[in-house]
Amino acid sequence: MAQNLFTDFPERVEQLTKYCELSQLAAPLEEAFGEKDFFKSPQEAMEFYTGVLEEVGKLAATVIRPRAQEVDRIGAHLKDGEVILPEDLQDNISRLKDLGVFSGLSSRAQGGFNLPQAVQAIALEILAHACPNTALTVACYSMAPFLETWGTEEQKQRILPKLMSLEWKSSMALTEPN
């Protein structure tokens, strides 16, 4: 059984190192966030991105995946008008928050990591491999970058810290025809 859902899957490592071309994009991405000198070299940026995914991969393999069946079995339920998540899912989310997963795409100025979308996409793939419920919860709760891009300065100051700390949780409201 895999001990790391990133490093034990060479195709995921290759996605990051070969196909995303992040070593070439790191400097322009950092400059766009106003931090062009944050990384000393493209290699340093890649070490950081790889390190993030290694930590997510380790947590996914050793903690999140063993709980997935129980999270599915229990499921979420409504109690007194409040959605109650299974305890294991709540703990998964708490551990991922501690790793900074919910603030990864946000700028460092807002308390995030300036991660490229490609890194977040690979992280979500890793989480979906381990526990689809956890991955979907992360995707729904990860709205801070949307607010950072499109929100007013007042909204950013008032709402972003609460979203990134998970004091406030976001969701998606979707409708489908028929």
Side-chain angles (χ1 to χ4, degrees):
M1 178 126 350
Q3 292 300 302
N4 190 308
L5 295 182
F6 177 63
T7 57
D8 292 349
F9 290 82
E11 64 277 12
R12 288 192 180 126
V13 176
E14 196 170 66
Q15 274 181 308
L16 180 71
T17 58
K18 184 176 179 183
Y19 298 112
C20 293
E21 299 183 1
L22 286 180
S23 62
Q24 297 171 11
L25 296 173
L29 286 171
E30 291 296 318
E31 188 169 355
F33 277 116
E35 297 198 30
K36 67 178 183 163
D37 297 323
F38 186 80
F39 293 118
K40 294 178 182 72
S41 68
Q43 294 76 23
E44 184 180 48
M46 290 304 294
E47 287 173 15
F48 178 73
Y49 303 150
T50 300
V52 167
L53 291 172
E54 287 174 358
E55 290 302 312
V56 170
K58 184 172 28 175
L59 180 67
T62 61
V63 175
I64 295 172
R65 184 173 52 188
R67 299 172 164 180
Q69 187 173 4
E70 186 70 1
V71 167
D72 279 348
R73 188 186 67 72
I74 294 172
H77 63 278
L78 196 59
K79 181 179 179 182
D80 299 325
E82 183 178 345
V83 176
I84 307 298
L85 300 177
E87 285 184 34
D88 285 342
L89 179 56
Q90 290 179 44
D91 187 62
N92 292 348
I93 298 308
S94 178
R95 289 171 183 252
L96 289 164
K97 179 188 72 118
D98 292 344
L99 279 180
V101 169
F102 295 97
S103 57
L105 294 176
S106 296
S107 70
R108 287 185 198 89
Q110 296 292 344
F113 291 121
N114 285 359
L115 291 178
Q117 183 67 45
V119 174
Q120 186 78 351
I122 295 169
L124 284 172
E125 177 185 326
I126 290 166
L127 294 173
H129 181 162
C131 176
N133 279 308
T134 298
L136 288 171
T137 304
V138 168
C140 287
Y141 286 2
S142 298
M143 299 303 291
F146 178 84
L147 180 66
E148 187 173 4
T149 301
W150 301 106
T152 65
E153 286 306 313
E154 184 276 328
Q155 289 170 327
K156 291 176 193 179
Q157 301 247 338
R158 182 171 53 88
I159 300 170
L160 270 178
K162 294 176 189 282
L163 285 178
M164 290 171 38
S165 70
L166 295 185
E167 179 182 342
W168 288 0
K169 295 171 180 75
S170 56
S171 65
M172 293 186 272
L174 304 173
T175 61
E176 299 194 26
N178 301 323

